């Protein structure tokens, strides 16, 4: 069972241990919990998007095929929230950690988030597993239109200027596969992983929920930073650090004093 850390003393001791090792391959996985301090909601936790009484079903591939307008109704208003949000200390701590890593260290940030806050914080090697909400693409997979930056909320689905099919947010819905390039990059990083750090994720959405298993198989040390304990506990996490990401990460990842 994973060791659980909650106090500042324990977190500082863990930081010293991490800094004493010359990690060659670091992989970080982030979920919605890291963006809560930026004013963005989680999906399944208290007050999460998918727990709202007006949402009777989660947005999946079938909903997109049946009613693309419903997808825009759910996700369009979130664009305004993302535009007014700013990276919080958790995002900044990860960007600083990457910037301080030696050139001999590969650092891969896998994110389930679609808010783009990691990039705005300064992180460089980002793999957007679920796409980006501030991009739009065509529903037609055979269309030649490239995804493009788009901040409009679109109360009704706009039509593609190339093929005439409805456009959609450039995000991965439930029952849709991950983007091929993102999945390939994630698998490559996990095969070489020596230190795996997951932050603010429920651990229930595949395939990201299985990434820690892949890291553990590669022999990595595995850590989870989350507000509440994972239920049930995942046997492949070595250490669980409980607390708000925006407070824990600066303590855990900060430069040695």
């Amino acid at each position: 069972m994973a060791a659980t850390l909650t106090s500042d003393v324990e977190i500082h001791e863990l930081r010293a241990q991490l800094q004493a090792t010359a990690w060659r391959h670091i992989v970080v996985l982030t979920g919605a919990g890291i963006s809560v301090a930026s004013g963005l909601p989680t999906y399944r936790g208290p007050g999460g998007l998918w727990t709202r009484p007006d949402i009777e079903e989660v947005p999946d591939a079938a909903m997109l095929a049946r009613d693309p307008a419903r997808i825009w109704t759910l996700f369009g208003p979130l664009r305004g929230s993302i535009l007014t949000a700013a990276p919080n200390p958790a995002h900044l701590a990860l960007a600083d950690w990457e910037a301080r890593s030696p050139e001999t260290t590969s650092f891969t940030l896998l994110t389930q988030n679609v808010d783009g806050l990691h990039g705005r914080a300064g992180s460089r090697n980002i793999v957007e597993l679920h796409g980006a909400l501030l991009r739009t693409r065509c529903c037609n997979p055979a269309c030649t239109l490239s995804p493009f930056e788009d901040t409009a909320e679109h109360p009704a689905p706009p039509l593609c200027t190339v093929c005439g099919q409805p456009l959609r947010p450039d995000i991965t819905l439930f029952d849709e596969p991950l983007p091929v390039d993102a999945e390939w990059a994630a698998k490559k990083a996990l095969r070489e992983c020596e230190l795996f750090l997951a932050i603010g994720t429920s651990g229930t959405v595949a395939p990201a929920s299985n990434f820690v298993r892949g890291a553990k198989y590669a022999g990595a040390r595995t850590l989870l930073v989350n507000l509440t304990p994972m239920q049930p506990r995942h046997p492949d996490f070595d250490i669980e650090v409980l607390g708000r990401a925006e407070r824990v990460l600066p303590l855990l990842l900060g430069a040695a004093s």
Side-chain angles (χ1 to χ4, degrees), residues 74-202:
L74 292 173
F75 287 103
L78 292 180
R79 285 182 163 180
S81 300
I82 288 174
L83 287 170
T84 58
N88 66 58
H91 298 105
L92 297 172
L94 285 173
D96 177 66
W97 190 32
E98 179 183 8
R100 286 186 284 108
S101 296
E103 292 185 1
T104 53
T105 299
S106 71
F107 190 103
T108 305
L109 176 54
L110 311 174
T111 185
Q112 297 171 283
N113 297 340
V114 296
D115 53 39
L117 291 179
H118 284 301
R120 289 164 58 188
S123 291
R124 300 187 302 272
N125 191 22
I126 306 168
V127 178
E128 293 176 323
L129 298 169
H130 294 168
L133 187 53
L134 296 183
R135 289 197 305 261
T136 294
R137 62 182 168 96
C138 187
C139 286
N140 177 8
C143 183
T144 58
L145 180 72
S146 299
F148 58 92
E149 300 297 320
D150 184 16
T151 61
E153 295 188 10
H154 299 301
L159 299 181
C160 178
T161 57
V162 174
C163 71
Q165 294 296 307
L167 296 178
R168 56 170 290 179
D170 187 21
I171 58 177
T172 303
L173 303 174
F174 289 96
D175 297 328
E176 287 189 324
L178 296 185
V180 173
D181 290 349
E183 185 173 21
W184 181 88
K187 289 180 177 179
K188 180 179 184 298
L190 291 167
R191 283 197 301 268
E192 302 171 339
C193 183
E194 294 180 345
L195 176 63
F196 179 83
L197 173 60
I199 306 154
T201 176
S202 67

Side-chain angles (χ1 to χ4, degrees), residues 28-36 41-45 90 94 110-113 118 197-204 223-228 230 237 241-246 248-249:
V28 178
L29 171 66
T30 64
I34 198 171
S35 294
V36 170
T42 61
Y43 293 96
R44 289 176 177 76
L94 285 173
L110 311 174
T111 185
Q112 297 171 283
N113 297 340
H118 284 301
L197 173 60
I199 306 154
T201 176
S202 67
T204 60
L223 285 68
L224 171 68
V225 173
N226 216 23
L227 184 60
T228 58
M230 182 177 286
F237 278 111
V241 184
L242 299 183
R244 300 189 309 275
E246 68 274 14
V248 169
L249 289 186

